[in-house]
Amino acid sequence: SPVEFRSNALQISDLQSLYYEEHARMKRRTGPSRSDSERFQAKLMFSRKPFQEPSFLVAPPIIQQARMQKSEKCSSDAGTFALKRTWEHTISTRCHWPFTCETDLKANPTSLVSCGVAHRRDDDFAPRWFGKKPHVALSGDLEGVEVYTEFLTSITDVPVLMREDRVLSTQAYIDQQSTHMAVQLVLFAPEHGILSEVNIG
């Protein structure tokens, strides 16, 4: 113990040698103090301590994200020049045999690295993120800001989401274009009849 798998069969002498090497250690392993039957029938002692002022979620938590649009142009000429040279250098040195690059990388400089600019408030122009269009937040820390909204559990509890016939990794939900994040929870305290909105930003 533990079980070992080897690529070739061992000679009897080798097995005997292994046995004697482990004999002293294995003798110290006395096994469980109680049998399985005793453990299955035993009761666990548990004391419940209720909250003094209980509250509970009345709606699924949501996460809101404000984003910027990718752009080849930065706020400074130096930044724009640096991005262009970085992309050109990558294409010239890394996108030839024996290496390969994705088509999007070779055609779109912003797919490698980019600066961010605020997108226009235009439903036809606004880019989708994880299959959704942005909307103006009506409350919370991002009130009045265009945000993308998701159920928090959709991002934290599953590795991928299926949107618009595409498999999207939830690890990519936050990227270089993410500028602000906020989580909203709606709680109800039955003892006081108070409904509260909690914002974590």
Side-chain angles (χ1 to χ4, degrees):
S1 176
V3 178
E4 292 185 9
F5 293 91
R6 304 204 177 196
S7 60
N8 57 327
L10 296 178
Q11 299 292 330
I12 295 179
S13 58
D14 294 331
L15 288 173
Q16 288 177 331
S17 177
L18 288 173
Y19 171 79
Y20 288 117
E21 287 177 4
E22 296 292 325
H23 182 69
R25 183 175 68 89
M26 296 301 294
K27 281 189 66 177
R28 293 194 297 266
R29 300 182 61 175
T30 58
S33 59
R34 295 187 298 173
S35 66
D36 288 344
S37 176
E38 291 174 332
R39 290 191 295 111
F40 292 153
Q41 294 178 5
K43 294 183 179 180
L44 296 176
M45 299 302 297
F46 175 78
S47 59
R48 184 172 62 91
K49 296 181 180 180
F51 291 103
Q52 295 298 320
E53 297 182 359
S55 61
F56 54 85
L57 286 169
V58 296
I62 62 173
I63 182 171
Q64 294 181 327
Q65 175 181 174
R67 297 179 57 78
M68 300 190 80
Q69 181 187 347
K70 289 182 177 181
S71 175
E72 299 176 42
K73 296 184 178 181
C74 302
S75 56
S76 66
D77 292 338
T80 301
F81 174 78
L83 292 188
K84 182 179 180 182
R85 288 298 299 270
T86 300
W87 176 73
E88 291 175 346
H89 176 73
T90 302
I91 295 300
S92 62
T93 59
R94 299 298 182 184
C95 294
H96 298 287
W97 189 89
F99 307 106
T100 59
C101 294
E102 297 178 354
T103 303
D104 183 55
L105 175 61
K106 293 188 286 187
N108 183 11
T110 61
S111 62
L112 177 64
V113 64
S114 64
C115 285
V117 295
H119 59 71
R120 298 177 300 182
R121 291 194 174 184
D122 185 344
D123 288 341
D124 295 329
F125 178 80
R128 291 178 177 269
W129 185 240
F130 273 61
K132 293 186 176 182
K133 289 185 177 181
H135 66 90
V136 178
L138 301 178
S139 63
D141 295 339
L142 299 178
E143 182 177 357
V145 178
E146 283 199 340
V147 296
Y148 297 84
T149 301
E150 285 283 355
F151 289 118
L152 181 61
T153 53
S154 298
I155 303 301
T156 59
D157 290 1
V158 295
V160 295
L161 292 175
M162 188 72 177
R163 298 283 171 79
E164 298 180 327
D165 296 328
R166 295 177 58 199
V167 178
L168 304 174
S169 170
T170 52
Q171 292 184 349
Y173 185 69
I174 301 175
D175 63 1
Q176 292 179 344
Q177 274 60 58
S178 303
T179 58
H180 296 86
M181 306 293 297
V183 175
Q184 286 187 327
L185 307 96
V186 180
L187 302 172
F188 181 68
E191 290 187 6
H192 304 283
I194 298 177
L195 188 69
S196 304
E197 179 181 323
V198 179
N199 293 277
I200 305 172

